């Protein structure tokens, strides 16, 4: 994402406008807005505040909210009686709403940060600044609000900032405030402000003349306050409980009923006592109320009963997921051991694999199979230990960490808790989140887990934690040692076909409440979707595309009054437009200097053709096609190898003096890196320099050393799938990868001829055509 773009929650404001640098509090009552606040507190406490065009609209839609608003920092949150929350925010900068990312359960938007456009004509600007200051002074005197010196201080030297600070002190109509907010050109803003100020000063002068009326109004407010106080006294006299007392009684009742462990109950009663003494509307009261609600919402003693029947568990896993035999077996074994030892203690399962291969959904199935509640928390991007373990209560706006938050959602103390993306955590000066996780996952310690906010021990020992990761490389070592790794690798087209046919389509039809008889997919259309509209290891985009085909089919049925539809290849084309992916196909004839390599990307395997041409020159080596550093180095190492061994391959040994070599890896838009194209580059160079053709039906992969040894590579399965898809029939792989061959599905293995190579000579012998 661009540097000046942010994705944050949005709260629409009714009747207020917030400027940068302004500190303000307001009350939030709408549920959506409260959820947005919670989300902001869980991430970086930033929220986008934009005014509603009409205050009375309860559920504003895109068109009801102004596009320009303010990115704010949340400074404090207080709970008021009822469901209202009081928030203290500080404006940070202007922002322009670019896109609504989510609308439920709260609004989440993409924001472009708007920087001030500074004045060009400094003299004009200075004149405007002086006039604004003068008018504002008049304004403050007339309105008798605040002394001008407290607003315009000496350090307020930027004209943009000055105009914002002044604007925030004015009592203006919403349109005028919005106009001022929308002016990010500072000169324009100063002009507008001056115009408004002059107008306001005129009005204030007029108002002075009708001062008596104003006085009357103030008297009325005072009278009301006085009467209220009296009423309170009368109620007390009559023995009628006031609101505060009712609230205290309500809490007390809840605490007594909640079956809290003894120390928790004691703490709750102690806090309740403090609430009694602090009064509902005080800041302290709000903090205590929030704390009590947290205690009461947590499942201290509620749990679900486990189903440890292995047969049922197997049946649930089989029903909800296709394939994944290894994974299912390992999970069943794991459960069996747990059943025998009668506890769920033991290593934490970690499901590792590319996105969309079903890690999350199989974890959800395990929860179903065990009859446990399921909660999920993503650790992607978590840097701060406090995000996991909470902030101390003394910290303004503190809330518990995500673990306790998850337990509240689970509503049971023995849920299955999925910790997603543990490889995407990082650490910085605010502590290492991995340390907190170590404690959480440690069966010896986690029965007394302490969240900084709660300051009470919470028992996590009945939780079944499962983690997921895309790769093992970035998981901190101590965490890795505690986990049992289960690899979930990518799917072949056949596997995707079955998943789509038996699961995704059924699931999507059910979601759209459509009878399965009404929309049917031909087998060819499913393969077509897989091969031409998705390129991934998992099935996530396949799921999205299936859903979009179904939606379009429903629309067609309604528009054309059809009872049912069969999805064919042509229908897919007409619904989704032209094919998005066209795979490289192997050349039909042998060529000089063109070799098919294989690559492994985050989306799965792919073929990677490499081309080399030779021309008269001075020994330059040119590399093009967006190659990463490792790949460039591997090309240079290959070049040195060819130079040192030119005599073996019938290459002129002076070639490095009188010939230029150009290595190109087509599809320049896709960045490529890694050492595994080493053998491919040497083969292409040797072919180009010796003018011998390379077999068109061969693909290869392997890292190379300067002495010509072939080293192992990763992703053999994905690479094999890609080669097969491209119509290759012979694949050269490093000797050390021979042990991985068992992971390759039989359907693919039977169609490919694998050549095992431990040095480059074997590769060249197998790939280069002997006699022309
Ligand atoms: P991950 O957590 O690995 O990124 P998800 O669990 O989100 O992947 O899976 C994406 C979608 O694909 C889900 O809807 C899931 O149900 C479906 N899916 C993935 N693998 C399978 C499978 N083997 N059988 C049935 N559905 C699957």
């Amino acid at each position: 994402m661009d540097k000046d773009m942010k994705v944050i929650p949005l709260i629409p404001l009714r009747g207020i406008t917030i400027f940068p640098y302004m500190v303000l509090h307001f009350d939030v009552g709408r549920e959506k807005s409260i959820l947005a606040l919670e989300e902001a507190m869980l991430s970086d406490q930033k929220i986008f505040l934009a005014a509603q065009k009409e205050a009375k609209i309860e559920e504003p839609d895109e068109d009801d909210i102004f596009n320009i608003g303010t990115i704010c920092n949340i400074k404090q949150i207080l709970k008021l009686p009822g469901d209202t929350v009081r928030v203290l925010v500080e404006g940070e900068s202007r922002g322009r709403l670019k896109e609504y990312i989510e609308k439920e359960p709260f609004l989440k938007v993409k924001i472009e940060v708007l920087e001030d456009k500074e004045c060009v004509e400094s003299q004009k600007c200075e004149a405007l600044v002086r006039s604004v200051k003068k008018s504002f002074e008049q304004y403050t005197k007339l309105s008798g609000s605040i002394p001008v010196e407290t607003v315009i201080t000496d350090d307020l030297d930027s004209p943009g900032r000055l105009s914002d600070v002044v604007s925030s002190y004015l009592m203006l109509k919403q349109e005028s405030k919005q106009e001022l907010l929308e002016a990010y050109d500072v000169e324009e803003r100063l002009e507008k402000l001056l115009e408004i100020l002059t107008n306001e000063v005129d009005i204030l002068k007029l108002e002075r003349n009708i001062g008596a009326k104003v006085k009357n109004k103030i008297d009325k407010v005072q009278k009301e306050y006085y009467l209220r106080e009296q009423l309170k006294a009368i109620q007390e006299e009559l023995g009628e409980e006031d609101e505060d007392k009712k609230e205290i009684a309500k809490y007390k009742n809840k605490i007594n009923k909640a079956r809290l462990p003894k120390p928790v109950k004691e703490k709750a009663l102690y806090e309740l006592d403090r609430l009694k003494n602090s009064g509902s509307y005080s800041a302290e009261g709000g903090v205590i109320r929030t704390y009590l609600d947290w205690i009461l919402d947590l499942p201290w003693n509620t749990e679900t009963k486990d189903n440890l029947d292995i047969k049922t568990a197997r049946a649930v896993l089989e029903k909800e997921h296709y394939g994944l035999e290894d994974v299912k077996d390992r999970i069943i074994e794991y459960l069996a051991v747990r059943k025998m030892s009668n506890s769920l203690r033991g290593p934490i399962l970690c499901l590792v694999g590319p996105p969309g291969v079903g890690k999350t959904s199989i974890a959800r199935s395990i929860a179903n199979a065990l009859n446990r509640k399921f909660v999920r928390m993503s650790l992607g991007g978590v840097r701060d230990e406090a995000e996991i373990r909470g902030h101390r209560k003394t910290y303004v706006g503190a809330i518990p960490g995500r673990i306790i938050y998850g337990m509240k959602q689970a509503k049971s103390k023995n849920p299955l808790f999925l910790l997603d993306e543990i490889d995407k955590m990082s650490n910085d000066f605010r502590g290492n989140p991995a340390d907190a996780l170590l404690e959480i996952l440690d069966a010896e310690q986690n029965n007394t887990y302490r969240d900084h906010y709660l300051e009470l021990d919470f028992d996590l020992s009945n939780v079944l934690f499962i983690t997921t990761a895309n790769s093992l490389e970035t998981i901190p070592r101590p965490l890795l040692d505690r986990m049992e790794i289960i690899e979930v690798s990518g799917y072949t087209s056949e596997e995707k076909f079955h998943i789509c046919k038996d699961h995704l389509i059924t699931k999507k039809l059910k979601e759209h409440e459509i009878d399965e008889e009404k929309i049917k997919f031909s087998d060819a259309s499913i393969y077509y979707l897989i091969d031409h509209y998705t390129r991934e290891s998992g099935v996530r985009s396949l799921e999205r595309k299936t859903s979009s085909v179904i939606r379009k089919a429903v629309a067609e049925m309604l528009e054309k009054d059809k009872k049912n539809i069969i999805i064919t290849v042509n229908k897919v084309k007409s619904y989704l437009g032209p094919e998005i992916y066209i795979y490289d196909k192997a050349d039909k004839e042998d060529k000089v200097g063109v070799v098919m390599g294989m690559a492994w990307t985050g989306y799965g395997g792919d073929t990677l053709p490499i081309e080399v041409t030779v021309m008269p020159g001075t020994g330059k080596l040119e590399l093009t096609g967006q190659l990463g550093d490792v790949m460039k180095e591997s090309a240079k190492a290959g070049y040195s190898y060819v130079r040192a061994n030119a005599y073996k391959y019938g290459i002129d040994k002076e070639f490095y003096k009188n010939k230029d070599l150009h290595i190109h890896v087509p599809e320049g838009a896709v960045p490529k890196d890694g050492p595994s194209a080493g053998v491919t580059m040497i083969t292409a160079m040797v072919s180009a320099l010796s003018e011998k053709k390379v077999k068109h039906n061969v693909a290869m992969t392997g890292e190379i050393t300067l002495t010509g040894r072939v080293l192992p590579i990763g992703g053999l399965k994905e690479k094999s799938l890609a080669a097969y898809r491209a119509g290759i029939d012979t694949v050269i792989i490093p000797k050390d990868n021979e042990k991985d061959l068992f992971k390759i599905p039989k359907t693919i293995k039977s169609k490919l001829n694998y050549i095992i190579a431990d040095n480059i000579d074997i590769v060249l012998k197998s790939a280069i055509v002997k006699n022309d």
Side-chain angles (χ1 to χ4, degrees):
M1 192 176 299
D2 294 349
K3 223 171 111 210
D4 49 1
M5 290 285 182
K6 281 182 191 316
V7 173
I8 46 177
L10 156 77
I11 295 188
L13 294 176
R14 303 206 253 201
I16 16 179
T17 307
I18 293 182
F19 290 94
Y21 313 108
M22 179 172 176
V23 177
L24 178 103
H25 63 63
F26 60 94
D27 293 351
V28 183
R30 289 181 275 191
E31 195 189 337
K32 255 190 173 174
S33 305
I34 293 180
L35 288 175
L37 263 182
E38 281 182 2
E39 164 78 11
M41 290 309 288
L42 279 179
S43 46
D44 55 0
Q45 284 148 32
K46 297 234 182 311
I47 192 128
F48 186 62
L49 299 176
Q52 264 177 234
K53 293 181 185 162
E54 275 184 57
K56 62 176 186 297
I57 299 182
E58 196 49 42
E59 275 259 336
D61 206 359
E62 286 183 26
D63 296 339
D64 304 322
I65 301 174
F66 285 111
N67 269 343
I68 305 269
T70 315
I71 301 167
C72 294
N73 261 322
I74 304 174
K75 308 290 269 183
Q76 192 180 41
I77 291 190
L78 280 181
K79 237 189 133 215
L80 298 179
D83 288 330
T84 315
V85 173
R86 179 162 295 170
V87 207
L88 183 72
V89 294
E90 181 178 17
E92 193 181 83
S93 58
R94 289 175 164 72
R96 187 197 305 275
L97 199 161
K98 297 301 270 188
E99 187 186 342
Y100 281 79
I101 305 282
E102 272 170 29
K103 291 194 174 170
E104 294 298 337
F106 54 82
L107 300 174
K108 197 173 205 181
V109 288
K110 190 176 190 185
I111 303 295
E112 177 194 359
V113 180
L114 286 180
E115 301 293 350
D116 276 356
K117 183 166 165 257
E118 294 303 340
C119 304
V120 196
E121 292 177 56
S122 59
Q123 275 187 334
K124 182 172 175 199
C125 182
E126 180 57 32
L128 280 169
V129 167
R130 284 190 201 172
S131 311
V132 164
K133 283 187 179 167
K134 213 158 132 199
S135 298
F136 184 58
E137 193 173 348
Q138 267 185 315
Y139 176 88
T140 52
K141 273 194 190 133
L142 280 168
S143 64
S145 46
I146 4 100
V148 71
E149 313 79 68
T150 51
V151 179
I152 303 185
T153 47
D154 288 344
D155 58 346
L156 201 60
D157 47 4
S158 122
R161 185 167 174 168
L162 172 97
S163 51
D164 280 340
V165 172
V166 168
S167 305
S168 65
Y169 277 96
L170 302 182
M171 300 280 286
L172 296 180
K173 281 212 213 98
Q174 185 170 5
E175 299 95 83
S176 312
K177 289 211 170 190
Q178 187 66 30
E179 262 181 39
L180 286 171
L181 188 66
E182 295 198 353
Y184 62 92
D185 180 332
V186 174
E187 191 176 309
E188 187 191 323
R189 196 190 305 159
L190 283 168
E191 276 172 1
K192 238 177 218 152
L193 179 60
L194 187 59
E195 187 189 318
I196 293 174
L197 259 177
T198 326
N199 193 22
E200 284 295 308
V201 167
D202 285 347
I203 297 176
L204 279 176
K205 279 184 187 155
L206 262 176
E207 261 188 25
R208 272 214 148 171
N209 299 335
I210 29 175
K213 248 190 189 167
V214 179
K215 191 165 176 299
N216 243 344
K217 252 193 199 161
I218 293 171
D219 283 350
K220 197 172 155 231
V221 175
Q222 274 177 345
K223 199 164 128 197
E224 269 175 19
Y225 174 76
Y226 181 67
L227 285 175
R228 258 205 204 109
E229 285 299 304
Q230 266 190 338
L231 187 67
K232 228 174 169 180
I234 294 170
Q235 276 176 337
E236 260 173 37
E237 274 302 304
L238 291 173
E240 285 176 9
E241 282 179 313
D242 65 1
E243 282 294 316
D244 285 5
K245 284 207 180 124
K246 265 193 220 153
E247 187 182 31
I248 302 279
K250 206 172 83 195
Y251 271 119
K252 192 158 197 167
N253 192 13
K254 276 196 195 162
I255 294 172
N256 285 331
K257 278 200 186 143
R259 294 196 302 138
L260 304 173
K262 198 160 164 249
V264 179
K265 187 168 176 180
E266 278 167 10
K267 173 88 175 160
L269 289 173
Y270 168 75
E271 292 292 330
L272 187 62
D273 226 34
R274 288 183 50 221
L275 179 62
K276 230 188 267 177
N277 299 328
S278 67
S280 315
Y281 287 88
S282 67
E284 182 71 7
V287 173
I288 302 176
R289 203 176 285 116
T290 313
Y291 182 76
L292 283 175
D293 286 346
W294 268 103
I295 292 196
L296 289 167
D297 283 345
L298 284 174
W300 299 95
N301 261 321
T302 329
E303 58 185 323
T304 53
K305 196 164 170 333
D306 273 352
N307 161 33
L308 279 177
D309 178 16
I310 301 292
K311 279 197 196 123
T312 328
R314 168 75 82 181
V316 173
L317 294 181
E318 289 298 345
K319 186 170 150 256
E320 297 181 359
H321 288 89
Y322 172 85
L324 298 174
E325 297 310 333
D326 285 1
V327 184
K328 289 177 191 162
D329 286 349
R330 299 269 302 266
I331 290 167
I332 294 291
E333 283 160 25
Y334 181 84
L335 295 181
V337 174
R338 300 290 155 258
K339 187 178 177 182
M340 294 299 265
S341 61
N342 219 353
S343 108
L344 276 169
R345 291 195 173 191
I348 309 291
L349 289 182
C350 176
L351 304 169
V352 183
V357 291
K359 299 182 294 299
T360 314
S361 77
I362 197 127
R364 206 182 281 273
S365 281
I366 303 177
N368 286 347
L370 277 172
N371 187 33
R372 284 189 176 220
K373 294 266 196 309
F374 178 79
V375 269
R376 171 172 173 229
M377 163 180 142
S378 172
L379 291 170
V382 169
R383 277 176 301 163
D384 185 353
E385 192 183 345
E387 282 189 50
I388 295 193
R389 212 192 259 282
H391 286 288
R392 294 194 188 285
K393 232 182 343 157
T394 41
Y395 183 93
V396 176
I399 45 168
R402 297 205 196 179
I403 295 288
I404 289 296
Y405 194 80
M407 295 310 293
K408 173 177 152 185
Q409 280 181 326
K411 297 197 175 74
S412 118
K413 69 174 192 170
N414 62 340
L416 186 155
F417 203 130
L418 185 70
L419 300 165
D420 241 347
E421 303 191 315
I422 55 163
D423 53 334
K424 304 268 172 9
M425 272 186 315
S426 52
N427 56 0
D428 65 7
F429 61 94
R430 285 171 293 192
N432 187 352
D435 290 344
L437 268 197
L438 273 179
E439 185 195 324
I440 290 159
L441 299 180
D442 182 354
E444 301 300 321
Q445 302 184 44
N446 68 6
N447 57 342
T448 54
Y449 170 69
R450 226 163 220 268
D451 180 277
H452 289 325
Y453 174 84
L454 281 189
E455 293 176 331
L456 288 167
D457 290 344
F458 192 91
D459 181 4
L460 293 176
S461 62
N462 296 305
V463 178
L464 175 59
F465 286 104
I466 295 190
T467 60
T468 77
N470 289 143
S471 104
L472 291 177
E473 279 155 31
T474 47
I475 303 180
R477 190 76 223 181
L479 262 180
L480 198 58
D481 288 345
R482 252 165 241 220
M483 296 189 298
E484 182 168 338
I485 307 297
I486 301 188
E487 273 186 52
V488 194
S489 52
Y491 295 116
T492 62
S493 291
E494 271 82 0
E495 284 168 327
K496 288 186 189 172
F497 168 77
H498 288 291
I499 295 176
C500 186
K501 191 173 160 102
D502 301 337
H503 294 270
L504 302 183
I505 296 177
T506 328
K507 190 159 103 188
K508 290 292 147 192
L509 287 175
K510 212 183 242 164
E511 263 174 37
H512 292 85
E513 293 180 12
I514 302 163
D515 192 0
E516 283 193 29
E517 294 304 309
K518 290 201 170 140
I519 298 180
K520 288 201 165 156
F521 283 67
S522 75
D523 289 359
S525 73
I526 300 178
Y527 275 114
Y528 191 69
L529 264 177
I530 296 170
D531 288 339
H532 297 290
Y533 293 89
T534 66
R535 179 173 279 190
E536 55 179 353
S537 296
V539 291
R540 211 173 266 170
S541 31
L542 181 59
E543 184 174 6
R544 273 201 302 274
K545 296 286 173 196
T546 313
S547 183
S548 126
V549 168
I550 291 178
R551 278 198 307 274
K552 297 220 170 18
V554 174
E556 185 178 331
M557 276 161 68
L558 290 179
E559 273 173 27
K560 301 197 178 150
D561 268 340
K562 290 191 178 171
K563 291 245 161 351
N564 46 37
I565 275 192
I566 293 184
I567 309 289
T568 57
V569 169
N570 282 336
K571 275 257 180 294
V572 172
K573 269 193 218 163
S574 77
Y575 288 159
L576 299 183
E579 308 170 339
I580 306 179
Y581 299 111
I582 299 164
Y583 287 100
D584 290 328
K585 279 281 173 201
D587 275 329
K588 292 213 169 50
E589 53 187 282
D590 302 341
K591 284 190 181 151
V592 169
V594 181
V595 186
M596 190 63 103
M598 293 178 278
W600 184 31
T601 69
Y603 304 104
D606 208 347
T607 47
L608 187 74
I610 290 182
E611 300 174 349
V612 174
T613 55
V614 180
M615 53 218 123
T618 53
K620 276 199 297 272
L621 174 66
E622 177 133 28
L623 301 166
T624 51
Q626 271 226 48
L627 312 188
D629 286 345
V630 179
M631 203 153 172
K632 279 188 195 150
E633 277 173 14
S634 151
K636 284 182 192 148
Y639 185 73
S640 298
Y641 175 84
V642 177
R643 235 179 97 177
N645 296 279
Y647 65 95
K648 274 208 233 168
Y649 310 117
I651 297 171
D652 169 16
K653 55 180 199 304
E654 303 280 296
F655 81 87
Y656 65 93
K657 288 190 192 151
N658 53 29
K659 284 182 181 141
D660 285 350
L661 229 60
H662 184 164
I663 304 186
H664 179 60
V665 189
E667 284 198 44
V670 188
K672 313 162 190 88
D673 205 4
S676 71
V679 290
T680 324
M681 295 210 241
I682 292 194
T683 311
M685 282 190 254
V686 169
S687 156
L689 286 164
S690 63
E691 293 178 18
K692 287 184 184 151
K693 289 182 178 168
V694 179
K695 294 179 190 163
H696 68 277
N697 56 339
V698 172
M700 58 185 71
T701 177
E703 184 178 346
I704 196 82
T705 69
L706 277 180
T707 55
R709 267 196 317 129
V710 177
L711 302 184
I713 46 82
L716 187 66
K717 175 178 168 190
E718 276 79 7
K719 287 177 173 174
S720 302
L721 296 180
Y724 170 65
R725 201 168 48 209
I728 296 286
D729 58 29
T730 303
V731 175
I732 308 178
I733 63 167
K735 176 135 185 33
D736 290 343
N737 283 108
E738 205 176 353
K739 63 177 183 343
D740 301 326
L741 279 174
F742 81 95
K743 289 190 199 152
I744 306 211
K746 281 202 197 77
T747 45
I748 302 289
K749 209 159 42 180
S750 62
K751 298 205 175 87
L752 290 177
N753 166 29
Y754 284 91
I755 296 178
I756 312 291
D758 58 0
N759 68 65
I760 188 71
D761 283 342
I762 302 184
V763 177
L764 293 171
K765 216 181 276 164
S766 321
I768 292 194
V769 178
K770 284 197 193 77
N771 291 319
D772 223 0

